[in-house]
Amino acid sequence: MKHATPAKSFVCAALLALLSACASDAPEPTELSPAASAPVVEEPAVVPAHLRELSGSLLNVPASAEVEMALLAVDLRGRPHALLGDIRLRGTGEPLPFNLRFNPETFTRYQKVELRARVNQSGRLILRLPARTIMQPESQTLGSLSLVPAP
């Protein structure tokens, strides 16, 4: 009778852990990201010293609508030039809190920086945040931001 080698035992243990993790009934996270399986922490995380953060809440986001927020460097005609930070969120039907982090060093390279957002539901653009100019590369609380119907 053959005995399992330590390497085979490790592989079996890793597979068992992976299968048990996949079988859990964890609730869907509110924030969408490439690692969407990671749990969403209710308390705001500490912002690393080299980053800054825009925070606030979006009003009128329907439940299960997808929100894309971006901090963009724009040219004088308002056309996006560079992406400085972005997040994706899922609406809850309640005011939707957001925390968008960015590197202040990249911010200062551009003449004009704007915060923009769009809301999609069932693959259709339904709401947008009118472009909001961000003047300083500092952490800011923007309060409650109202979305308007998308054209």
Side-chain angles (χ1 to χ4, degrees), residues 59-101:
L59 303 177
N60 309 323
V61 179
S64 69
E66 295 178 12
V67 179
E68 297 173 79
M69 293 188 77
L71 187 62
L72 300 167
V74 295
D75 64 17
L76 296 177
R77 291 185 171 177
R79 296 178 298 201
H81 180 68
L83 177 66
L84 305 180
D86 68 326
I87 56 172
R88 291 176 181 250
L89 306 166
R90 184 167 305 277
T92 60
E94 300 291 324
L96 185 62
F98 67 87
N99 296 17
L100 191 151
R101 293 181 180 176

Side-chain angles (χ1 to χ4, degrees), residues 15 59 109 139:
L15 272 172
L59 303 177
R109 293 183 201 156
S139 291

